[in-house]
């Protein structure tokens, strides 16, 4: 019997993030507490979002609304790397970068966890920005998934290619 396997990845569902951004833009356009603040949220390139408003607290409020929309769309807030509000002329801006992929250090941490605490006979291989976990028994793979989910990493974790 061949080995069963799955991949541990950290990917962004760009469509869901775009939908959350659109919902946030519509909400700040219609909400009373954002009237006259010039609050906007928009894409800046492929993996960055910029929030601008007339004051720091309004920019932070837009960020909070955006985070709420992401949560409602089942996206982890760990994909966001939001900076502090910074003044830029008359407006205050917050830059947000979207984190995608598992860094090699994080992949090594997860691999070590699987080796040390996971069931025997489970192998983890680092393949670029993802981690392939394989074993003869599917039950062992499910135990590894539960183990990885229980950990609190600073990146979003998804499981794909379960075979």
């Amino acid at each position: 019997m061949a080995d069963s396997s799955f991949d541990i990845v950290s990917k962004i569902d760009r469509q869901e993030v775009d939908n959350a951004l659109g919902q946030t833009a519509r909400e700040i356009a219609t909400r009373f507490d954002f009237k006259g603040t010039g609050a906007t949220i928009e894409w800046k390139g492929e993996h960055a979002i910029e929030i601008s408003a007339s004051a720091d607290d309004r920019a932070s409020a837009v960020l909070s609304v955006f985070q709420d929309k992401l949560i409602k769309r089942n996206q982890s807030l760990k994909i966001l790397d939001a900076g502090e509000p910074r003044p830029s002329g008359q407006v205050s801006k917050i830059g947000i970068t979207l984190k995608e992929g598992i860094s090699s250090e994080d992949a090594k941490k997860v691999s070590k966890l699987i080796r040390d605490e996971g069931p025997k006979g489970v192998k983890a291989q680092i393949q670029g920005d993802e981690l392939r976990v394989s074993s003869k028994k599917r039950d062992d793979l499910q135990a590894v998934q539960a183990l990885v989910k229980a950990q609190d990493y600073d990146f979003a974790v998804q499981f794909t290619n379960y075979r």
Side-chain angles (χ1 to χ4, degrees), residues 5-9 127 130-133 158-161:
S5 68
F6 69 88
D7 294 337
I8 301 174
V9 297
Q127 297 179 335
E130 56 186 43
L131 199 68
R132 167 77 43 93
V133 180
Q158 293 100 18
F159 304 106
T160 59
N161 289 339

Side-chain angles (χ1 to χ4, degrees), residues 102-112 126 130-131:
I102 301 175
S103 69
S104 59
E105 299 89 43
D106 290 334
K108 286 176 186 169
K109 280 186 210 168
V110 175
S111 179
K112 183 170 176 18
I126 300 171
E130 56 186 43
L131 199 68

Side-chain angles (χ1 to χ4, degrees), residues 128-158:
D129 61 350
E130 56 186 43
L131 199 68
R132 167 77 43 93
V133 180
S134 57
S135 172
K136 296 249 184 253
K137 297 183 196 150
R138 287 188 170 214
D139 292 346
D140 289 349
L141 293 181
Q142 290 174 338
V144 168
Q145 282 185 346
L147 179 69
V148 171
K149 276 183 192 172
Q151 300 298 312
D152 186 32
Y153 293 113
D154 59 346
F155 56 93
V157 176
Q158 293 100 18

Side-chain angles (χ1 to χ4, degrees), residues 9-155:
V9 297
S10 179
K11 295 220 182 295
I12 296 171
D13 187 347
R14 184 162 165 83
Q15 185 64 51
E16 290 293 340
V17 174
D18 194 40
N19 290 343
L21 190 131
Q23 285 180 333
T24 304
R26 279 193 302 278
E27 183 168 325
I28 63 176
T30 58
R31 258 178 51 177
F32 178 76
D33 57 336
F34 288 115
K35 292 275 189 238
T37 61
T40 60
I41 181 169
E42 57 193 16
W43 285 104
K44 286 288 180 209
E46 199 62 21
H47 293 288
I49 296 170
E50 187 172 74
I51 295 172
S52 61
S54 60
D56 286 357
D57 64 326
R58 291 293 88 206
S60 299
V62 172
L63 177 60
S64 175
V65 170
F66 181 56
Q67 289 172 336
D68 290 345
K69 299 297 180 191
L70 282 175
I71 291 170
K72 286 182 182 168
R73 295 191 154 277
N74 292 328
Q75 297 299 304
S76 172
L77 294 182
K78 293 177 181 178
I79 64 171
L80 298 181
D81 188 13
E84 290 297 312
R86 65 185 192 285
S88 175
Q90 294 290 319
V91 297
S92 181
K93 293 186 176 187
I94 298 177
I96 302 170
T97 54
L98 301 175
K99 295 186 289 188
E100 188 169 35
I102 301 175
S103 69
S104 59
E105 299 89 43
D106 290 334
K108 286 176 186 169
K109 280 186 210 168
V110 175
S111 179
K112 183 170 176 18
L113 171 82
I114 292 169
R115 261 197 325 273
D116 295 347
E117 298 181 28
K120 295 284 178 240
V122 175
K123 298 185 291 288
Q125 302 140 348
I126 300 171
Q127 297 179 335
D129 61 350
E130 56 186 43
L131 199 68
R132 167 77 43 93
V133 180
S134 57
S135 172
K136 296 249 184 253
K137 297 183 196 150
R138 287 188 170 214
D139 292 346
D140 289 349
L141 293 181
Q142 290 174 338
V144 168
Q145 282 185 346
L147 179 69
V148 171
K149 276 183 192 172
Q151 300 298 312
D152 186 32
Y153 293 113
D154 59 346
F155 56 93

